[in-house]
Amino acid sequence: MRKFAVICMCVFALAGCAEHDPILPGERTPVFNTNNIQILNKTVENLPDAIDTSVTECPYSQDSSNVIWDGERKIFSGFPTNNSVDSTQKPICANGYVYAGLTTGEVVKVGPNSRKVMWIADVFRRSNLTGGAAIVDIVAPLVMHDGALYVGGLGDAFCRLDRITGDKKWCVEIGVAVPFIVTDGVAFVMATDGNLYAIRTSDGAVYWRTAVDAQAAPTYDNKIITVGKQQISAENGRVIND
């Protein structure tokens, strides 16, 4: 009977963990308020001719076991995962803090001197965790723009986070594996479903989406987006040439 009771306790404990499925501890909020992607089919107005995609130099490094390093000093240790993709991770720095996307589908904000974790945010669709073998890595570089943090992962979520609190402003249910572009008012994101999305940064609505041939990072010049060999109008999503 004692053995049976111990087994039952373990089962109940695991069930409880499943209800709070984050890998790292802390309060979580749902990624999606809705399962629908809102397509506006509208033109993006007032686009710039060029977009500054430069990033602030960040002296910290990150390894595949979700450890962030300051030289040889650990400033954060996450949980390693067995299911992940090969990628080169790189944290970003802003306002004295370090932000990193992990193979667990989480984003962390860390104070590098104190090594204090300021917040943790899930960036994956909850159903992706069923079965225990989901790949939810955040492999695309994080982007900080106008005080907000933009992050996309393989767990079918592209989100705008509050950089101070980690709260999700919105999430779009698309997977992201390559770098994306953020400018004033719009993010251009190549998704794993084969579509290029123009996403309104104020609320996550999609101006337009266009099917493209290549899974490649988009580039921007003179209101034209290039993905692989295709050129697409950044204003309306129409393919200019193949």
Side-chain angles (χ1 to χ4, degrees), residues 87-145:
S87 64
T88 301
Q89 304 293 340
K90 177 67 176 171
I92 65 171
C93 297
N95 302 104
Y97 293 98
V98 181
Y99 302 80
L102 309 178
T103 64
T104 52
E106 296 164 307
V107 180
V108 296
K109 176 184 179 180
V110 181
N113 296 325
S114 65
R115 296 189 292 186
K116 180 179 179 180
V117 177
M118 308 307 294
W119 52 253
I120 304 163
D122 296 335
V123 181
F124 52 79
R125 186 173 55 188
R126 181 177 293 269
S127 61
N128 283 28
L129 292 184
T130 59
I135 295 178
V136 293
D137 306 38
I138 296 172
V139 295
L142 310 184
V143 173
M144 189 77 71
H145 183 81

Side-chain angles (χ1 to χ4, degrees), residues 39-45 198 200 206-208 234-237:
I39 308 294
L40 301 176
N41 291 319
K42 288 186 176 180
T43 298
V44 185
E45 299 180 348
R200 190 164 63 189
V206 177
Y207 282 109
W208 52 258
E235 295 178 313
N236 54 37

Side-chain angles (χ1 to χ4, degrees), residues 5-217:
V6 170
I7 293 172
C8 289
M9 289 174 65
C10 291
V11 170
F12 287 136
L14 289 173
C17 290
E19 285 295 314
H20 300 86
D21 60 19
I23 293 102
L24 293 174
E27 294 296 324
R28 296 302 202 277
T29 56
V31 173
F32 300 107
N33 293 324
T34 174
N35 291 327
N36 298 320
I37 298 176
Q38 181 184 0
I39 308 294
L40 301 176
N41 291 319
K42 288 186 176 180
T43 298
V44 185
E45 299 180 348
N46 302 316
L47 284 170
D49 291 330
I51 295 176
D52 181 11
T53 57
S54 61
V55 296
T56 302
E57 181 64 25
C58 190
Y60 305 97
S61 61
Q62 180 180 353
D63 65 27
S64 59
S65 295
N66 295 319
V67 178
I68 304 174
W69 299 86
D70 179 5
E72 296 182 353
R73 171 177 171 261
K74 292 181 182 181
I75 63 171
F76 172 82
S77 294
F79 292 101
T81 54
N82 293 325
N83 300 305
S84 60
V85 298
D86 290 333
S87 64
T88 301
Q89 304 293 340
K90 177 67 176 171
I92 65 171
C93 297
N95 302 104
Y97 293 98
V98 181
Y99 302 80
L102 309 178
T103 64
T104 52
E106 296 164 307
V107 180
V108 296
K109 176 184 179 180
V110 181
N113 296 325
S114 65
R115 296 189 292 186
K116 180 179 179 180
V117 177
M118 308 307 294
W119 52 253
I120 304 163
D122 296 335
V123 181
F124 52 79
R125 186 173 55 188
R126 181 177 293 269
S127 61
N128 283 28
L129 292 184
T130 59
I135 295 178
V136 293
D137 306 38
I138 296 172
V139 295
L142 310 184
V143 173
M144 189 77 71
H145 183 81
D146 197 24
L149 181 65
Y150 295 86
V151 54
L154 297 179
D156 296 329
F158 178 77
C159 302
R160 173 178 171 168
L161 308 181
D162 185 296
R163 70 174 177 84
I164 304 289
T165 64
D167 291 340
K168 300 177 184 74
K169 297 301 183 181
W170 49 257
C171 292
V172 180
E173 197 169 345
I174 57 175
V176 183
V178 296
F180 50 87
I181 299 168
V182 182
T183 188
D184 293 340
V186 61
F188 297 102
V189 184
M190 182 64 221
T192 56
D193 65 3
N195 289 300
L196 177 68
Y197 289 78
I199 301 172
R200 190 164 63 189
T201 57
S202 61
D203 59 4
V206 177
Y207 282 109
W208 52 258
R209 66 180 172 190
T210 298
V212 294
D213 298 331
Q215 270 289 327

